[in-house]
Amino acid sequence: MVRTEISLFLKNVPGELGRLATLFAKENINIDALTIQDASSYVQNLFSARGKSLKRIASVASYNSMRKDSAEFALIRLLADKTDKAIDLLSKNDYIFDIMPVMTLELENRPGALAAIATKFGEEGININYVYGTVTSPDEKCLFVFCPEDIELAAQIFKEK
C-alpha cells in the first residue's frame, strides 16, 4: 500500500523525540512506523550523490559547514495513522518537514520473506532507496516500509500483496 511518509530534522539532544511523540499523542495521532538516523550520515549521502553527478550546488565551505552542523540533528522518518492531521500539527508547531510516498508491505515473519520481496524489486528493475521494518512477535506479520525510486511501478507490482 502506498502511504505518505513524513521526514523531519530534530535537534539531536535528549527529550526532542519525547516532545514530538507527546505532541502527536495529545492530538490522538499514532505513529505506525519510525526510523531515526544521525543526520550527518544523511548529509554524507548527499555529498556522495553530488560527487557522482559532479554538480556542486554550494561552495566547499558550505558543504563542510553543513557536514559539521548536521551532526547536531537527527533525521526522523515516520508514518502516522492520521497523516493530514500530523502534517497540519507539524506546520502549526513550526517543524520543518517533507513528505513523500512510500510503500508499506506486510511480510510473513519467516526467513526468506524479505529476500523474496527485495528480489522482486530487483527483477522489476526498481531500486530501493531505503527500507525499514519491524516485527512485534514471532506469530505476527512484519511491517516494512520501502522507498522505491519508481513508486508507481512498485505500487502496480505489489498491489496484490
Side-chain angles (χ1 to χ4, degrees):
M1 164 167 55
V2 175
R3 293 191 56 189
T4 300
E5 178 187 75
I6 302 170
S7 300
L8 63 144
F9 287 100
L10 290 181
K11 284 193 179 261
N12 195 6
V13 296
E16 284 298 300
L17 179 59
R19 280 188 270 285
L20 177 67
T22 299
L23 187 67
F24 276 39
K26 285 181 179 177
E27 295 298 323
N28 199 31
I29 299 170
N30 193 50
I31 297 173
D32 294 337
L34 174 106
T35 183
I36 301 174
Q37 70 184 62
D38 182 331
S40 62
S41 63
Y42 176 74
V43 172
Q44 295 278 345
N45 289 336
L46 291 178
F47 287 116
S48 296
R50 191 247 334 144
K52 289 176 186 170
S53 70
L54 300 177
K55 292 182 182 174
R56 179 168 283 146
I57 58 173
S59 69
V60 172
S62 294
Y63 280 109
N64 288 335
S65 175
M66 188 187 313
R67 184 179 308 194
K68 179 180 170 283
D69 294 343
S70 66
E72 298 174 16
F73 294 91
L75 173 64
I76 311 291
R77 289 185 170 119
L78 66 87
L79 298 179
D81 66 340
K82 299 172 186 151
T83 305
D84 291 340
K85 190 173 180 180
I87 290 169
D88 186 48
L89 185 64
L90 291 170
S91 294
K92 287 179 181 174
N93 285 276
D94 297 322
Y95 282 90
I96 297 172
F97 63 93
D98 194 11
I99 58 171
M100 73 179 317
V102 293
M103 171 166 271
T104 59
L105 296 172
E106 286 189 352
L107 308 182
E108 293 296 325
N109 186 10
R110 61 172 174 72
L114 178 59
I117 295 297
T119 299
K120 181 72 172 166
F121 273 106
E123 289 170 350
E124 298 294 336
I126 303 171
N127 190 46
I128 301 169
N129 293 323
Y130 58 85
V131 62
Y132 53 98
T134 188
V135 62
T136 56
S137 80
D139 301 323
E140 293 186 42
K141 290 189 175 191
C142 310
L143 175 66
F144 275 81
V145 180
F146 294 86
C147 180
E149 283 185 356
D150 188 337
I151 191 79
E152 288 89 14
L153 180 57
Q156 290 174 3
I157 293 165
F158 293 103
K159 67 181 169 189
E160 68 278 352
K161 294 271 180 218

